[in-house]
Amino acid sequence: MSTSPGAESEHPVSDTPAPDGATRDQPAATEPSATSSSHEVAVRRAPRYQTFILIGVVVGLIAAMVLTFAFQRGPDEIDAARGEVYFSPGTVFGFLLLICIPVGIAIFGILAWILDVSARKKTHTVRVDKVNVRVSEPDAEAPPTATSADNEDNL
């Protein structure tokens, strides 16, 4: 969800007079002070890039596994006279991982970006209200402060 600045208005939610002679700046301890504000916000659907990248990693892993076992040749099928070298299936799988995983990440990252660009065209503007509530408690005890004797011991 993205936001854009818009018209903003603030007004108190409760217009009741403050009890016991409390001013509007200092509300009574039991009565919360609330204000609300309205904003215009642009809302759109956006793809989660992490999910697409993770799917790209999984697809690259599966592609490397399939390619490793689809074209596997045994050591007896290698002709050393022609300069062919035998690599174990684990080595081939490792090399293919180094290629397939970045390709999968790139493909699914580009797909997520394309979906994000197309979703920007379907942006809606809505009006939202934000309510801030503050409660003051003057009877609350203050945290204990360190005395000068305590400060000397800690040095």
Side-chain angles (χ1 to χ4, degrees):
M1 178 180 343
S2 62
T3 61
S4 61
E8 187 175 320
S9 64
E10 292 193 13
H11 57 278
V13 173
S14 174
D15 289 331
T16 59
D20 299 333
T23 63
R24 191 148 312 263
D25 294 337
Q26 297 175 345
T30 58
E31 183 178 329
S33 165
T35 59
S36 70
S37 60
S38 297
H39 302 280
E40 287 186 5
V41 180
V43 180
R44 67 179 175 92
R45 294 181 60 103
R48 295 186 181 262
Y49 283 91
Q50 313 85 297
T51 305
F52 279 86
I53 298 299
L54 183 64
I55 291 171
V57 168
V58 171
V59 168
L61 179 82
I62 292 170
M65 195 178 323
V66 167
L67 290 174
T68 298
F69 296 111
F71 301 109
Q72 183 178 7
R73 295 188 342 184
D76 54 336
E77 298 172 3
I78 302 297
D79 186 12
R82 293 190 345 199
E84 294 179 355
V85 180
Y86 172 74
F87 292 106
S88 68
T91 305
V92 173
F93 181 66
F95 285 135
L96 287 174
L97 279 178
L98 290 174
I99 296 169
C100 292
I101 287 181
V103 168
I105 289 173
I107 289 172
F108 280 87
I110 291 170
L111 177 65
W113 178 72
I114 290 171
L115 291 174
D116 191 21
V117 169
S118 67
R120 287 183 189 160
K121 297 174 184 174
K122 299 176 184 177
T123 302
H124 303 286
T125 303
V126 295
R127 186 171 199 82
V128 295
D129 294 327
K130 178 181 176 183
V131 178
N132 294 325
V133 178
R134 296 180 190 229
V135 178
S136 63
E137 298 180 16
D139 297 336
E141 293 182 20
T145 58
T147 62
S148 60
D150 290 339
N151 289 337
E152 291 174 1
D153 291 339
N154 291 335
L155 294 177

